[in-house]
Structure formats: C-alpha cells, structure tokens
mmCIF file of all heavy atoms in Angstrom:
data_model
loop_
_atom_site.group_PDB
_atom_site.id
_atom_site.type_symbol
_atom_site.label_atom_id
_atom_site.label_comp_id
_atom_site.label_asym_id
_atom_site.label_seq_id
_atom_site.Cartn_x
_atom_site.Cartn_y
_atom_site.Cartn_z
ATOM 1 N N MET A 1 101.089 57.136 88.953
ATOM 2 C CA MET A 1 100.790 57.139 87.517
ATOM 3 C C MET A 1 99.693 58.153 87.222
ATOM 4 O O MET A 1 98.695 58.231 87.919
ATOM 5 C CB MET A 1 100.312 55.754 87.070
ATOM 6 C CG MET A 1 101.355 54.670 87.198
ATOM 7 S SD MET A 1 102.402 54.576 85.753
ATOM 8 C CE MET A 1 101.363 53.623 84.650
ATOM 9 N N SER A 2 99.911 58.897 86.162
ATOM 10 C CA SER A 2 98.910 59.859 85.747
ATOM 11 C C SER A 2 98.921 59.955 84.224
ATOM 12 O O SER A 2 99.968 59.804 83.602
ATOM 13 C CB SER A 2 99.206 61.225 86.363
ATOM 14 O OG SER A 2 98.216 62.154 85.966
ATOM 15 N N ALA A 3 97.747 60.186 83.665
ATOM 16 C CA ALA A 3 97.642 60.276 82.216
ATOM 17 C C ALA A 3 98.084 61.648 81.737
ATOM 18 O O ALA A 3 97.890 62.653 82.424
ATOM 19 C CB ALA A 3 96.203 60.009 81.793
ATOM 20 N N SER A 4 98.684 61.661 80.547
ATOM 21 C CA SER A 4 98.980 62.940 79.923
ATOM 22 C C SER A 4 98.600 62.872 78.452
ATOM 23 O O SER A 4 98.716 61.820 77.813
ATOM 24 C CB SER A 4 100.459 63.303 80.085
ATOM 25 O OG SER A 4 101.278 62.332 79.490
ATOM 26 N N VAL A 5 98.126 63.982 77.925
ATOM 27 C CA VAL A 5 97.591 64.049 76.565
ATOM 28 C C VAL A 5 98.576 64.758 75.641
ATOM 29 O O VAL A 5 99.107 65.819 75.989
ATOM 30 C CB VAL A 5 96.242 64.801 76.557
ATOM 31 C CG1 VAL A 5 95.719 64.959 75.131
ATOM 32 C CG2 VAL A 5 95.218 64.075 77.416
ATOM 33 N N ASN A 6 98.803 64.156 74.487
ATOM 34 C CA ASN A 6 99.601 64.788 73.443
ATOM 35 C C ASN A 6 98.688 65.757 72.687
ATOM 36 O O ASN A 6 97.834 65.350 71.906
ATOM 37 C CB ASN A 6 100.166 63.730 72.497
ATOM 38 C CG ASN A 6 101.055 64.338 71.423
ATOM 39 O OD1 ASN A 6 100.969 65.519 71.101
ATOM 40 N ND2 ASN A 6 101.919 63.513 70.863
ATOM 41 N N LYS A 7 98.869 67.036 72.925
ATOM 42 C CA LYS A 7 97.990 68.044 72.332
ATOM 43 C C LYS A 7 98.151 68.145 70.823
ATOM 44 O O LYS A 7 97.290 68.674 70.122
ATOM 45 C CB LYS A 7 98.274 69.414 72.969
ATOM 46 C CG LYS A 7 97.870 69.508 74.432
ATOM 47 C CD LYS A 7 98.047 70.938 74.927
ATOM 48 C CE LYS A 7 97.317 71.159 76.239
ATOM 49 N NZ LYS A 7 98.063 70.714 77.393
ATOM 50 N N GLU A 8 99.260 67.638 70.299
ATOM 51 C CA GLU A 8 99.496 67.710 68.853
ATOM 52 C C GLU A 8 98.658 66.691 68.098
ATOM 53 O O GLU A 8 98.295 66.921 66.938
ATOM 54 C CB GLU A 8 100.987 67.464 68.552
ATOM 55 C CG GLU A 8 101.943 68.385 69.280
ATOM 56 C CD GLU A 8 101.706 69.844 68.932
ATOM 57 O OE1 GLU A 8 101.478 70.124 67.752
ATOM 58 O OE2 GLU A 8 101.725 70.685 69.857
ATOM 59 N N THR A 9 98.344 65.557 68.742
ATOM 60 C CA THR A 9 97.647 64.492 68.028
ATOM 61 C C THR A 9 96.204 64.290 68.503
ATOM 62 O O THR A 9 95.429 63.625 67.823
ATOM 63 C CB THR A 9 98.403 63.150 68.169
ATOM 64 O OG1 THR A 9 98.553 62.843 69.554
ATOM 65 C CG2 THR A 9 99.792 63.251 67.531
ATOM 66 N N CYS A 10 95.829 64.860 69.647
ATOM 67 C CA CYS A 10 94.445 64.759 70.129
ATOM 68 C C CYS A 10 93.516 65.476 69.157
ATOM 69 O O CYS A 10 93.780 66.610 68.762
ATOM 70 C CB CYS A 10 94.324 65.386 71.519
ATOM 71 S SG CYS A 10 92.612 65.507 72.095
ATOM 72 N N VAL A 11 92.431 64.778 68.764
ATOM 73 C CA VAL A 11 91.477 65.362 67.824
ATOM 74 C C VAL A 11 90.175 65.780 68.517
ATOM 75 O O VAL A 11 89.206 66.152 67.861
ATOM 76 C CB VAL A 11 91.168 64.385 66.659
ATOM 77 C CG1 VAL A 11 92.431 64.158 65.827
ATOM 78 C CG2 VAL A 11 90.617 63.060 67.161
ATOM 79 N N GLY A 12 90.152 65.698 69.847
ATOM 80 C CA GLY A 12 89.000 66.185 70.594
ATOM 81 C C GLY A 12 87.746 65.357 70.442
ATOM 82 O O GLY A 12 86.637 65.878 70.566
ATOM 83 N N CYS A 13 87.898 64.060 70.201
ATOM 84 C CA CYS A 13 86.734 63.205 69.934
ATOM 85 C C CYS A 13 85.890 62.931 71.181
ATOM 86 O O CYS A 13 84.724 62.597 71.089
ATOM 87 C CB CYS A 13 87.189 61.890 69.316
ATOM 88 S SG CYS A 13 88.076 60.808 70.469
ATOM 89 N N GLY A 14 86.514 63.015 72.365
ATOM 90 C CA GLY A 14 85.780 62.803 73.605
ATOM 91 C C GLY A 14 85.684 61.363 74.070
ATOM 92 O O GLY A 14 85.084 61.098 75.113
ATOM 93 N N ALA A 15 86.254 60.440 73.331
ATOM 94 C CA ALA A 15 86.180 59.022 73.719
ATOM 95 C C ALA A 15 86.807 58.786 75.087
ATOM 96 O O ALA A 15 86.295 58.004 75.895
ATOM 97 C CB ALA A 15 86.859 58.152 72.666
ATOM 98 N N CYS A 16 87.883 59.467 75.364
ATOM 99 C CA CYS A 16 88.555 59.285 76.655
ATOM 100 C C CYS A 16 87.715 59.849 77.798
ATOM 101 O O CYS A 16 87.705 59.295 78.902
ATOM 102 C CB CYS A 16 89.925 59.950 76.629
ATOM 103 S SG CYS A 16 89.885 61.720 76.232
ATOM 104 N N VAL A 17 87.014 60.927 77.532
ATOM 105 C CA VAL A 17 86.155 61.528 78.561
ATOM 106 C C VAL A 17 85.090 60.525 78.990
ATOM 107 O O VAL A 17 84.822 60.342 80.186
ATOM 108 C CB VAL A 17 85.492 62.819 78.028
ATOM 109 C CG1 VAL A 17 84.531 63.402 79.057
ATOM 110 C CG2 VAL A 17 86.554 63.845 77.643
ATOM 111 N N ASP A 18 84.485 59.854 77.997
ATOM 112 C CA ASP A 18 83.453 58.857 78.289
ATOM 113 C C ASP A 18 84.039 57.623 78.968
ATOM 114 O O ASP A 18 83.360 56.962 79.754
ATOM 115 C CB ASP A 18 82.754 58.435 76.994
ATOM 116 C CG ASP A 18 81.946 59.568 76.368
ATOM 117 O OD1 ASP A 18 81.562 60.489 77.114
ATOM 118 O OD2 ASP A 18 81.699 59.527 75.157
ATOM 119 N N ALA A 19 85.286 57.288 78.666
ATOM 120 C CA ALA A 19 85.895 56.059 79.189
ATOM 121 C C ALA A 19 86.410 56.205 80.614
ATOM 122 O O ALA A 19 86.533 55.211 81.336
ATOM 123 C CB ALA A 19 87.043 55.629 78.278
ATOM 124 N N CYS A 20 86.698 57.401 81.048
ATOM 125 C CA CYS A 20 87.317 57.590 82.366
ATOM 126 C C CYS A 20 86.330 57.349 83.505
ATOM 127 O O CYS A 20 85.296 58.013 83.580
ATOM 128 C CB CYS A 20 87.881 59.000 82.477
ATOM 129 S SG CYS A 20 88.664 59.305 84.082
ATOM 130 N N PRO A 21 86.643 56.413 84.419
ATOM 131 C CA PRO A 21 85.747 56.107 85.536
ATOM 132 C C PRO A 21 85.829 57.136 86.659
ATOM 133 O O PRO A 21 85.019 57.110 87.585
ATOM 134 C CB PRO A 21 86.248 54.738 86.016
ATOM 135 C CG PRO A 21 87.700 54.743 85.683
ATOM 136 C CD PRO A 21 87.814 55.521 84.385
ATOM 137 N N CYS A 22 86.781 58.030 86.580
ATOM 138 C CA CYS A 22 87.007 58.995 87.659
ATOM 139 C C CYS A 22 86.566 60.409 87.301
ATOM 140 O O CYS A 22 86.724 61.330 88.114
ATOM 141 C CB CYS A 22 88.489 59.023 88.026
ATOM 142 S SG CYS A 22 89.117 57.438 88.586
ATOM 143 N N GLY A 23 86.056 60.589 86.090
ATOM 144 C CA GLY A 23 85.682 61.940 85.684
ATOM 145 C C GLY A 23 86.863 62.885 85.614
ATOM 146 O O GLY A 23 86.724 64.090 85.819
ATOM 147 N N ALA A 24 88.025 62.314 85.313
ATOM 148 C CA ALA A 24 89.245 63.114 85.352
ATOM 149 C C ALA A 24 89.580 63.774 84.021
ATOM 150 O O ALA A 24 90.536 64.539 83.943
ATOM 151 C CB ALA A 24 90.415 62.235 85.790
ATOM 152 N N LEU A 25 88.818 63.467 82.982
ATOM 153 C CA LEU A 25 89.102 64.038 81.663
ATOM 154 C C LEU A 25 87.984 64.963 81.223
ATOM 155 O O LEU A 25 86.809 64.710 81.468
ATOM 156 C CB LEU A 25 89.271 62.907 80.641
ATOM 157 C CG LEU A 25 90.608 62.152 80.702
ATOM 158 C CD1 LEU A 25 90.475 60.779 80.067
ATOM 159 C CD2 LEU A 25 91.698 62.954 80.010
ATOM 160 N N SER A 26 88.369 66.033 80.557
ATOM 161 C CA SER A 26 87.394 66.945 79.985
ATOM 162 C C SER A 26 87.993 67.542 78.726
ATOM 163 O O SER A 26 89.191 67.397 78.463
ATOM 164 C CB SER A 26 87.036 68.049 80.982
ATOM 165 O OG SER A 26 88.205 68.776 81.342
ATOM 166 N N LEU A 27 87.147 68.175 77.938
ATOM 167 C CA LEU A 27 87.628 68.822 76.719
ATOM 168 C C LEU A 27 87.699 70.323 76.943
ATOM 169 O O LEU A 27 86.756 70.935 77.417
ATOM 170 C CB LEU A 27 86.689 68.519 75.543
ATOM 171 C CG LEU A 27 86.646 67.074 75.049
ATOM 172 C CD1 LEU A 27 85.637 66.940 73.914
ATOM 173 C CD2 LEU A 27 88.011 66.601 74.593
ATOM 174 N N GLU A 28 88.841 70.900 76.624
ATOM 175 C CA GLU A 28 89.002 72.348 76.678
ATOM 176 C C GLU A 28 89.612 72.811 75.371
ATOM 177 O O GLU A 28 90.689 72.354 74.991
ATOM 178 C CB GLU A 28 89.902 72.747 77.863
ATOM 179 C CG GLU A 28 89.253 72.518 79.221
ATOM 180 C CD GLU A 28 90.159 72.941 80.383
ATOM 181 O OE1 GLU A 28 91.148 73.656 80.130
ATOM 182 O OE2 GLU A 28 89.873 72.539 81.511
ATOM 183 N N ASP A 29 88.902 73.692 74.675
ATOM 184 C CA ASP A 29 89.371 74.198 73.385
ATOM 185 C C ASP A 29 89.678 73.062 72.418
ATOM 186 O O ASP A 29 90.660 73.126 71.665
ATOM 187 C CB ASP A 29 90.615 75.077 73.574
ATOM 188 C CG ASP A 29 90.322 76.317 74.420
ATOM 189 O OD1 ASP A 29 89.193 76.826 74.317
ATOM 190 O OD2 ASP A 29 91.212 76.752 75.164
ATOM 191 N N GLY A 30 88.854 71.999 72.458
ATOM 192 C CA GLY A 30 89.000 70.920 71.494
ATOM 193 C C GLY A 30 90.110 69.933 71.777
ATOM 194 O O GLY A 30 90.455 69.123 70.916
ATOM 195 N N VAL A 31 90.662 70.013 72.992
ATOM 196 C CA VAL A 31 91.731 69.088 73.361
ATOM 197 C C VAL A 31 91.421 68.518 74.741
ATOM 198 O O VAL A 31 90.928 69.228 75.623
ATOM 199 C CB VAL A 31 93.100 69.808 73.386
ATOM 200 C CG1 VAL A 31 94.195 68.877 73.891
ATOM 201 C CG2 VAL A 31 93.452 70.326 72.008
ATOM 202 N N ALA A 32 91.709 67.230 74.942
ATOM 203 C CA ALA A 32 91.469 66.601 76.235
ATOM 204 C C ALA A 32 92.479 67.083 77.271
ATOM 205 O O ALA A 32 93.666 67.238 76.967
ATOM 206 C CB ALA A 32 91.546 65.087 76.094
ATOM 207 N N VAL A 33 91.988 67.316 78.481
ATOM 208 C CA VAL A 33 92.874 67.691 79.582
ATOM 209 C C VAL A 33 92.596 66.771 80.766
ATOM 210 O O VAL A 33 91.473 66.328 80.983
ATOM 211 C CB VAL A 33 92.700 69.157 80.007
ATOM 212 C CG1 VAL A 33 93.173 70.095 78.911
ATOM 213 C CG2 VAL A 33 91.262 69.452 80.378
ATOM 214 N N VAL A 34 93.632 66.491 81.545
ATOM 215 C CA VAL A 34 93.558 65.569 82.673
ATOM 216 C C VAL A 34 93.610 66.357 83.977
ATOM 217 O O VAL A 34 94.447 67.251 84.134
ATOM 218 C CB VAL A 34 94.749 64.583 82.641
ATOM 219 C CG1 VAL A 34 94.609 63.533 83.738
ATOM 220 C CG2 VAL A 34 94.863 63.917 81.275
ATOM 221 N N SER A 35 92.714 66.020 84.907
ATOM 222 C CA SER A 35 92.708 66.705 86.204
ATOM 223 C C SER A 35 93.471 65.877 87.241
ATOM 224 O O SER A 35 93.916 64.762 86.977
ATOM 225 C CB SER A 35 91.278 66.916 86.687
ATOM 226 O OG SER A 35 90.774 65.721 87.257
ATOM 227 N N ASP A 36 93.569 66.426 88.425
ATOM 228 C CA ASP A 36 94.248 65.737 89.529
ATOM 229 C C ASP A 36 93.482 64.498 89.994
ATOM 230 O O ASP A 36 93.998 63.727 90.809
ATOM 231 C CB ASP A 36 94.423 66.689 90.711
ATOM 232 C CG ASP A 36 95.445 67.781 90.417
ATOM 233 O OD1 ASP A 36 96.261 67.595 89.497
ATOM 234 O OD2 ASP A 36 95.429 68.815 91.125
ATOM 235 N N ASP A 37 92.252 64.311 89.506
ATOM 236 C CA ASP A 37 91.455 63.153 89.908
ATOM 237 C C ASP A 37 91.902 61.871 89.213
ATOM 238 O O ASP A 37 91.394 60.790 89.523
ATOM 239 C CB ASP A 37 89.977 63.395 89.592
ATOM 240 C CG ASP A 37 89.385 64.490 90.457
ATOM 241 O OD1 ASP A 37 89.885 64.699 91.580
ATOM 242 O OD2 ASP A 37 88.414 65.148 90.012
ATOM 243 N N CYS A 38 92.834 61.965 88.274
ATOM 244 C CA CYS A 38 93.284 60.776 87.545
ATOM 245 C C CYS A 38 93.887 59.751 88.505
ATOM 246 O O CYS A 38 94.755 60.069 89.317
ATOM 247 C CB CYS A 38 94.327 61.171 86.503
ATOM 248 S SG CYS A 38 95.063 59.748 85.664
ATOM 249 N N ALA A 39 93.411 58.476 88.349
ATOM 250 C CA ALA A 39 93.902 57.385 89.186
ATOM 251 C C ALA A 39 94.891 56.494 88.440
ATOM 252 O O ALA A 39 95.347 55.484 88.982
ATOM 253 C CB ALA A 39 92.719 56.555 89.685
ATOM 254 N N GLY A 40 95.202 56.829 87.194
ATOM 255 C CA GLY A 40 96.189 56.070 86.439
ATOM 256 C C GLY A 40 95.730 54.700 85.995
ATOM 257 O O GLY A 40 96.553 53.796 85.811
ATOM 258 N N CYS A 41 94.433 54.522 85.770
ATOM 259 C CA CYS A 41 93.901 53.189 85.462
ATOM 260 C C CYS A 41 94.198 52.737 84.034
ATOM 261 O O CYS A 41 94.194 51.546 83.756
ATOM 262 C CB CYS A 41 92.406 53.169 85.702
ATOM 263 S SG CYS A 41 91.465 54.111 84.479
ATOM 264 N N GLY A 42 94.394 53.669 83.131
ATOM 265 C CA GLY A 42 94.726 53.315 81.759
ATOM 266 C C GLY A 42 93.545 53.148 80.825
ATOM 267 O O GLY A 42 93.742 52.862 79.644
ATOM 268 N N ALA A 43 92.332 53.314 81.305
ATOM 269 C CA ALA A 43 91.161 53.140 80.439
ATOM 270 C C ALA A 43 91.171 54.123 79.271
ATOM 271 O O ALA A 43 90.769 53.780 78.155
ATOM 272 C CB ALA A 43 89.883 53.305 81.248
ATOM 273 N N CYS A 44 91.643 55.311 79.500
ATOM 274 C CA CYS A 44 91.641 56.323 78.440
ATOM 275 C C CYS A 44 92.652 55.998 77.353
ATOM 276 O O CYS A 44 92.411 56.268 76.179
ATOM 277 C CB CYS A 44 91.917 57.697 79.025
ATOM 278 S SG CYS A 44 93.452 57.796 79.984
ATOM 279 N N THR A 45 93.777 55.420 77.730
ATOM 280 C CA THR A 45 94.779 55.096 76.710
ATOM 281 C C THR A 45 94.229 54.044 75.761
ATOM 282 O O THR A 45 94.482 54.094 74.558
ATOM 283 C CB THR A 45 96.087 54.598 77.357
ATOM 284 O OG1 THR A 45 95.823 53.419 78.105
ATOM 285 C CG2 THR A 45 96.681 55.655 78.275
ATOM 286 N N ASP A 46 93.466 53.089 76.289
ATOM 287 C CA ASP A 46 92.860 52.065 75.447
ATOM 288 C C ASP A 46 91.766 52.653 74.563
ATOM 289 O O ASP A 46 91.543 52.184 73.446
ATOM 290 C CB ASP A 46 92.258 50.956 76.316
ATOM 291 C CG ASP A 46 93.325 50.154 77.052
ATOM 292 O OD1 ASP A 46 94.492 50.188 76.612
ATOM 293 O OD2 ASP A 46 92.992 49.511 78.061
ATOM 294 N N ALA A 47 91.072 53.676 75.052
ATOM 295 C CA ALA A 47 89.931 54.234 74.330
ATOM 296 C C ALA A 47 90.333 55.213 73.239
ATOM 297 O O ALA A 47 89.569 55.428 72.298
ATOM 298 C CB ALA A 47 88.998 54.937 75.329
ATOM 299 N N CYS A 48 91.499 55.791 73.339
ATOM 300 C CA CYS A 48 91.884 56.852 72.397
ATOM 301 C C CYS A 48 92.209 56.292 71.013
ATOM 302 O O CYS A 48 93.116 55.465 70.878
ATOM 303 C CB CYS A 48 93.083 57.619 72.923
ATOM 304 S SG CYS A 48 93.600 58.934 71.794
ATOM 305 N N PRO A 49 91.506 56.754 69.970
ATOM 306 C CA PRO A 49 91.744 56.238 68.616
ATOM 307 C C PRO A 49 93.025 56.767 67.982
ATOM 308 O O PRO A 49 93.466 56.246 66.946
ATOM 309 C CB PRO A 49 90.509 56.720 67.842
ATOM 310 C CG PRO A 49 90.099 57.963 68.549
ATOM 311 C CD PRO A 49 90.401 57.729 70.015
ATOM 312 N N THR A 50 93.625 57.781 68.571
ATOM 313 C CA THR A 50 94.832 58.353 67.960
ATOM 314 C C THR A 50 96.073 58.156 68.836
ATOM 315 O O THR A 50 97.106 58.789 68.592
ATOM 316 C CB THR A 50 94.636 59.857 67.688
ATOM 317 O OG1 THR A 50 94.368 60.536 68.929
ATOM 318 C CG2 THR A 50 93.493 60.105 66.726
ATOM 319 N N ASP A 51 95.944 57.287 69.851
ATOM 320 C CA ASP A 51 97.091 56.994 70.732
ATOM 321 C C ASP A 51 97.704 58.253 71.322
ATOM 322 O O ASP A 51 98.923 58.407 71.384
ATOM 323 C CB ASP A 51 98.178 56.218 69.979
ATOM 324 C CG ASP A 51 97.985 54.708 70.076
ATOM 325 O OD1 ASP A 51 97.283 54.272 71.009
ATOM 326 O OD2 ASP A 51 98.539 53.984 69.233
ATOM 327 N N SER A 52 96.835 59.165 71.730
ATOM 328 C CA SER A 52 97.322 60.471 72.201
ATOM 329 C C SER A 52 97.529 60.542 73.698
ATOM 330 O O SER A 52 97.966 61.580 74.203
ATOM 331 C CB SER A 52 96.326 61.560 71.791
ATOM 332 O OG SER A 52 96.233 61.646 70.385
ATOM 333 N N ILE A 53 97.195 59.462 74.430
ATOM 334 C CA ILE A 53 97.323 59.506 75.889
ATOM 335 C C ILE A 53 98.358 58.494 76.358
ATOM 336 O O ILE A 53 98.339 57.339 75.973
ATOM 337 C CB ILE A 53 95.976 59.208 76.574
ATOM 338 C CG1 ILE A 53 94.881 60.109 76.024
ATOM 339 C CG2 ILE A 53 96.103 59.411 78.093
ATOM 340 C CD1 ILE A 53 93.523 59.873 76.652
ATOM 341 N N SER A 54 99.255 58.977 77.192
ATOM 342 C CA SER A 54 100.260 58.092 77.779
ATOM 343 C C SER A 54 100.165 58.164 79.291
ATOM 344 O O SER A 54 99.648 59.124 79.862
ATOM 345 C CB SER A 54 101.652 58.485 77.311
ATOM 346 O OG SER A 54 101.915 59.842 77.616
ATOM 347 N N LEU A 55 100.669 57.121 79.941
ATOM 348 C CA LEU A 55 100.707 57.097 81.406
ATOM 349 C C LEU A 55 102.146 57.305 81.855
ATOM 350 O O LEU A 55 103.053 56.603 81.409
ATOM 351 C CB LEU A 55 100.188 55.770 81.946
ATOM 352 C CG LEU A 55 98.692 55.501 81.811
ATOM 353 C CD1 LEU A 55 98.355 54.115 82.360
ATOM 354 C CD2 LEU A 55 97.880 56.550 82.548
ATOM 355 N N ASP A 56 102.340 58.277 82.735
ATOM 356 C CA ASP A 56 103.683 58.581 83.238
ATOM 357 C C ASP A 56 103.777 58.273 84.721
ATOM 358 O O ASP A 56 102.839 58.540 85.457
ATOM 359 C CB ASP A 56 104.024 60.051 82.983
ATOM 360 C CG ASP A 56 103.911 60.414 81.516
ATOM 361 O OD1 ASP A 56 104.478 59.675 80.693
ATOM 362 O OD2 ASP A 56 103.248 61.429 81.223
HETATM 363 S S1 LIG B 101 94.192 56.875 83.464
HETATM 364 FE FE1 LIG B 101 92.093 56.271 84.143
HETATM 365 S S2 LIG B 101 91.586 57.732 85.779
HETATM 366 FE FE2 LIG B 101 93.302 58.622 84.620
HETATM 367 S S3 LIG B 101 92.350 59.951 83.069
HETATM 368 FE FE3 LIG B 101 92.702 57.913 82.115
HETATM 369 S S4 LIG B 101 90.775 56.797 82.409
HETATM 370 FE FE4 LIG B 101 90.761 58.547 83.840
HETATM 371 S S1 LIG B 102 90.238 59.944 73.001
HETATM 372 FE FE1 LIG B 102 92.251 60.709 72.300
HETATM 373 S S2 LIG B 102 91.789 61.958 70.493
HETATM 374 FE FE2 LIG B 102 89.855 61.659 71.610
HETATM 375 S S3 LIG B 102 89.692 63.477 72.959
HETATM 376 FE FE3 LIG B 102 90.701 61.838 74.140
HETATM 377 S S4 LIG B 102 92.927 62.189 73.852
HETATM 378 FE FE4 LIG B 102 91.843 63.338 72.266
#
C-alpha cells in the first residue's frame, strides 16, 4: 500500500505532511508528493481536508 495524491484537488495546505509518521510527504510547487518512505498507514488520508489522498 502506498499513498497517492490527486494533484487536481490538493490545495497544498501541508496537513498531510504534518500527519505522516514516516516523513514521506513533502510539498513541491504547492502540491503534496509522496516518497518511497510511505508505509501505507493511512494517516494522511484522514488528515487531508480535500480528500486528495488515496491508498493504492
Ligand atoms: S500513508 Fe502513512 S506513511 Fe504513507 S504518506 Fe500517508 S501518512 Fe505517510
Ligand atoms: S492535506 Fe491534502 S490538500 Fe493538504 S497538502 Fe496534503 S494532499 Fe494537499
């Protein structure tokens, strides 16, 4: 399982970056991006106010 960000709906708020226990999220050009460090825990999906993160 790994998180993926919908770039069309992400507003770059950073809530997911703060919520991730693995440091796997960062903001690039105002959009969240997921690194290979993602453990698939789902904390970011719960934290995102725009439902922009899904787990695949
Ligand atoms: S699923 Fe968990 S480990 Fe992966 S990016 Fe989201 S908060 Fe971080
Ligand atoms: S919490 Fe959602 S809207 Fe905010 S930066 Fe992360 S993916 Fe984008």
Side-chain angles (χ1 to χ4, degrees):
M1 295 274 279
S2 181
S4 60
V5 176
N6 182 338
K7 292 186 165 82
E8 305 300 318
T9 57
C10 172
V11 295
C13 70
C16 57
V17 176
D18 293 336
C20 180
C22 300
L25 284 158
S26 59
L27 292 178
E28 291 181 15
D29 297 326
V31 175
V33 293
V34 185
S35 80
D36 290 340
D37 292 333
C38 174
C41 71
C44 55
T45 61
D46 292 340
C48 180
T50 60
D51 270 339
S52 297
I53 308 180
S54 56
L55 289 178
D56 304 311

